[in-house]
Amino acid sequence: MAKKENDDASQTFHALVERADRKFGRVRDLPLYGRAPQNHYFQKVFKAYMRLWKYQQENRSKLVDSGLKRWEIGEIASRIGQLYFNQYMRTSEARFLVEAYVFYEAILERKYFDARGSGKPKVDVGVRFKELRFYARFLLVALIFNKVDMVRLLAERIKGLVDDSKTNFRETNFKEWKLVVQEIFRFMEVDTAFTNVRPLRYCALFDSHPASRPYLARFHAKKIVKFRDALLTSYHKSEVKFAELTLDTYRMMQCIEWEPSGSFFQKHPVESVYQKHPVESNENGTVIDHSGAASGLIDINMAADLTDPTLPPNPRKAVLYRPSVTHFLAVMATICEELPPESIVLVYLSASGKAACSNLSQAESSGESRKSSKDKVVSGVYSTEKSSGPESHCNGKRESSDYYDNYLWLGPRGYGGSNALYPGDIIPFTRRPLFLIIDSDSSHAFKVLHGAERREPAALFLSPLKPAFKNLSAV
């Protein structure tokens, strides 16, 4: 009788796992940009995992008797943490980032993937890969959450696991995980300069007091626009990155979000969770989980009170890793189309460029005296043809070619114009308020956008042609 009950519980459990995983796959595949209503998908998958988690809590002994492993519980909790992190990337709401961190840290503390906790002398290779993926996801969350000590701990854990895996699983190739270890240690080394200084995020402890913001209205001549959306991307040949987060976009993510302050800053949500559900160890070091949950009871509103009411919400952000030009323009079009009224979108582009010379600049560099009569005739014909267009120099305007001479590379150099992003490609999006940041050796090419906007004046923030720092290693 007991065996039948255990088997029934196991079948129900695995059916709930399948159902939750299917819903998780649908949410995971949704785009991380745009304002299309996706909350109902998130609520459905959340309810599925809440039902699954509650069931395994109520039937833990039966499931263990039927063969349930600790790593299976850890896998479910890891999925929930991943779900929260994806929701943070879609909405930029800090509470989802906090929840993801809480779940991942609880998995780490309870050692769900530890082979010693499972009672086996050696974990199989499939569970080892799950453990490595868990550490990598947790590290990314800790990195964005600016938990420096945890990032170092996780980096050492991943390195130790990879070294151990190469010894114990000689028949398996861990080359990709070696690259992951190299990436994170390189990332940490380069970003060390910002470890002991003020946060990159806007912080009330260092910056102007929130009460002073209304007085800034007098600097706006016509209207006030709100910072609602951001598009961040970079494409360089050898970028410092971890996973699909480059150092450039990571720092920009920090800059456009609010640093916890005020009532938010004084709270300690992660620690309080463990105080509710303590973890003990027996004599042989095996972890005993009294709560049966990774971070206490799953509650979507658990961190709702962590929002600081004195600060405006973080802008939604789309972080693109090495996008094609067409994909970049498609995402930008979606964001501009769904931009709320009286709002502005920030676009950050970091890429190498090419400063191609136009016919006009070539003529100026060579000098009028060096032109032949044939050149003058050809130039005259070219100017005549151009004068019929709206961008003619005869009317005191730029040539239309000025918008398509220089460009940024969003792709391998060998593929030509299909990977070139021109200043002229940005002009259609100036129908909406736009703040453009170009970090490139060809940033000056985007000056041509000034005066060419289709409706709203665009704010341009262009990097200098020459580095302003004497010690480039400290940047």
Side-chain angles (χ1 to χ4, degrees):
M1 185 68 178
K3 186 178 184 302
K4 185 178 184 305
E5 290 181 357
N6 294 343
D7 291 341
D8 291 342
S10 179
Q11 291 178 4
T12 303
F13 173 78
H14 287 96
L16 291 173
V17 170
E18 272 187 42
R19 191 177 308 166
D21 286 350
R22 283 198 302 269
K23 294 181 183 296
F24 176 84
R26 295 170 188 168
V27 171
R28 181 187 54 197
D29 295 336
L30 291 173
L32 297 178
Y33 58 89
R35 292 179 171 271
Q38 299 171 352
N39 286 336
H40 64 288
Y41 292 109
F42 176 71
Q43 291 172 0
K44 284 183 179 180
V45 68
F46 181 81
K47 287 180 180 179
Y49 275 103
M50 184 169 60
R51 189 179 301 112
L52 170 62
W53 197 264
K54 183 178 180 181
Y55 185 84
Q56 67 85 20
Q57 282 182 306
E58 295 173 347
N59 299 271
R60 175 67 66 87
S61 60
K62 296 178 183 178
L63 294 172
V64 171
D65 291 341
S66 63
L68 180 69
K69 305 296 188 300
R70 283 186 61 81
W71 66 261
E72 294 182 81
I73 304 299
E75 181 77 356
I76 297 172
S78 181
R79 282 288 179 90
I80 296 172
Q82 189 178 354
L83 182 67
Y84 274 121
F85 178 70
N86 288 347
Q87 192 68 0
Y88 159 74
M89 293 299 292
R90 287 189 182 92
T91 64
S92 296
E93 292 187 36
R95 65 190 182 101
F96 292 122
L97 184 64
V98 173
E99 288 283 17
Y101 188 93
V102 166
F103 269 88
Y104 284 140
E105 190 176 33
I107 297 170
L108 180 69
E109 292 288 332
R110 287 164 171 78
K111 301 180 181 179
Y112 278 120
F113 292 102
D114 195 337
R116 292 173 298 177
S118 64
K120 292 184 178 180
K122 180 180 177 182
V123 69
D124 62 69
V125 66
V127 177
R128 175 54 54 87
F129 277 120
K130 292 178 184 295
E131 186 175 12
L132 286 169
R133 285 193 291 269
F134 155 69
Y135 276 117
R137 288 172 182 145
F138 187 15
L139 200 152
L140 183 60
V141 171
L143 191 66
I144 296 175
F145 204 24
N146 203 23
K147 297 288 186 179
V148 179
D149 293 338
M150 181 59 75
V151 169
R152 291 172 179 166
L153 173 65
L154 295 173
E156 292 294 340
R157 291 282 183 93
I158 293 178
K159 184 178 183 300
L161 278 178
V162 172
D163 292 340
D164 179 77
S165 300
K166 289 188 294 183
T167 302
N168 295 319
F169 304 101
R170 296 183 181 276
E171 70 282 358
T172 306
N173 187 0
F174 285 86
K175 182 179 179 180
E176 291 184 359
W177 287 103
K178 295 178 191 176
L179 296 177
V180 170
V181 172
Q182 293 174 7
E183 279 186 358
I184 187 55
F185 277 95
R186 185 187 178 200
F187 195 105
M188 292 166 56
E189 179 183 0
V190 174
D191 199 48
T192 303
F194 288 89
T195 302
N196 298 318
V197 297
R198 57 153 293 174
L200 285 175
R201 291 187 177 101
Y202 188 98
C203 182
L205 298 178
F206 297 98
D207 300 295
S208 60
H209 194 271
S212 66
R213 287 197 297 269
Y215 297 98
L216 298 178
R218 62 191 180 92
F219 294 103
H220 296 270
K222 295 182 180 180
K223 62 181 179 180
I224 299 177
V225 291
K226 296 180 179 179
F227 180 23
R228 293 292 185 87
D229 286 86
L231 174 57
L232 315 176
T233 188
S234 66
Y235 200 124
H236 292 279
K237 184 177 181 181
S238 300
E239 293 185 283
V240 177
K241 71 178 188 70
F242 176 65
E244 294 188 351
L245 184 66
T246 66
L247 185 63
D248 290 344
T249 53
Y250 164 72
R251 289 177 175 173
M252 282 301 301
M253 283 178 64
Q254 299 283 309
C255 290
I256 65 176
E257 294 189 349
W258 296 94
E259 186 70 16
S261 60
S263 58
F264 189 106
F265 185 78
Q266 296 170 6
K267 291 176 184 274
H268 302 280
V270 176
E271 290 80 354
S272 64
V273 170
Y274 296 119
Q275 292 172 2
K276 292 179 183 178
H277 301 283
V279 180
E280 297 179 2
S281 300
N282 58 17
E283 295 179 356
N284 62 8
T286 303
V287 176
I288 303 175
D289 183 2
H290 292 287
S291 70
S295 66
L297 296 176
I298 300 178
D299 183 1
I300 194 171
N301 295 317
M302 190 190 81
D305 60 338
L306 298 178
T307 304
D308 192 337
T310 65
L311 298 176
N314 288 327
R316 289 175 179 261
K317 57 187 177 295
V319 182
L320 304 183
Y321 174 69
R322 294 197 165 191
S324 64
V325 171
T326 52
H327 180 54
F328 172 81
L329 294 176
V331 174
M332 192 169 177
T334 300
I335 293 175
C336 289
E337 175 67 21
E338 298 177 352
L339 189 68
E342 306 300 323
S343 301
I344 189 170
V345 57
L346 179 146
V347 179
Y348 172 78
L349 273 168
S350 177
S352 57
K354 184 178 185 301
C357 296
S358 63
N359 292 335
L360 182 60
S361 61
Q362 288 177 2
E364 291 175 346
S365 62
S366 61
E368 292 295 332
S369 61
R370 297 175 57 185
K371 284 188 176 182
S372 65
S373 58
K374 181 179 178 180
D375 292 334
K376 292 180 180 179
V377 171
V378 173
S379 177
V381 173
Y382 183 78
S383 298
T384 302
E385 293 175 349
K386 288 290 183 179
S387 64
S388 60
E391 305 286 350
S392 174
H393 272 284
C394 296
N395 295 327
K397 298 181 180 179
R398 299 184 183 92
E399 294 284 353
S400 59
S401 61
D402 292 345
Y403 305 114
Y404 298 96
D405 282 336
N406 307 323
Y407 51 86
L408 303 182
W409 284 103
L410 293 186
R413 294 295 184 91
Y415 289 91
S418 62
N419 293 322
L421 179 70
Y422 299 92
D425 295 332
I426 306 296
I427 293 178
F429 304 108
T430 58
R431 292 175 173 86
R432 306 303 301 272
L434 183 67
F435 193 111
L436 191 65
I437 301 177
I438 305 294
D439 187 4
S440 172
D441 51 1
S442 293
S443 59
H444 62 286
F446 286 76
K447 287 183 179 180
V448 298
L449 294 179
H450 178 62
E453 297 93 338
R454 288 296 178 257
R455 180 184 177 187
E456 300 284 348
L460 305 177
F461 192 63
L462 310 177
S463 62
L465 297 181
K466 295 182 180 180
F469 299 93
K470 294 182 180 179
N471 184 11
L472 296 179
S473 62
V475 179

